[in-house]
Amino acid sequence: MAVALLLAVSAAMLLGRSWTACDVGVNNAANSGFLLWLFIPGLWTVLMLVWVAAGALLGNRPLLHAFALAVTLLSVFWCVLSIFWEGTATPPCPGGVPSWWPSFIPVPGF
């Protein structure tokens, strides 16, 4: 449960900072309201359901269970970021990538 919440909050912070750097959306207040009241609870719910489903499918194999949960949660995290990151191609960020984004990490959705 804590892992899902940590990933949801991390995704919201990353998305919010990229939107701010690229000047995406109405304004910071509107973006933060969406991220705080809709995005975090929604993503947390999805991650929890994925966590429970993966746990139910894998049963009592601890090593496989831990690896599969990590891969599954990170995959869902990356997919959700890709969906919401898509509109960040603006004049401040022509390629959709903020200037602070490390070049060795692929951009969500690309």
Side-chain angles (χ1 to χ4, degrees), residues 28-103:
N28 285 340
N31 289 345
S32 64
F34 164 75
L35 291 171
L36 185 64
W37 299 111
L38 296 174
F39 185 80
I40 291 176
L43 182 56
W44 188 21
T45 303
V46 168
L47 290 171
M48 286 299 297
L49 291 174
V50 167
W51 179 280
V52 169
L57 290 173
L58 294 173
N60 195 14
R61 287 172 258 166
L63 224 57
L64 177 65
H65 193 225
F67 179 73
L69 282 175
V71 168
T72 305
L73 289 179
L74 289 174
S75 299
V76 170
F77 171 84
W78 197 257
C79 288
V80 168
L81 272 180
S82 297
I83 290 168
F84 287 96
W85 189 290
E86 189 175 354
T88 58
T90 61
C93 300
V97 183
S99 59
W100 49 263
W101 187 261
S103 61

Side-chain angles (χ1 to χ4, degrees), residues 18-25 85-98 110:
S18 69
W19 284 354
T20 299
C22 294
D23 199 27
V24 172
W85 189 290
E86 189 175 354
T88 58
T90 61
C93 300
V97 183
F110 295 100

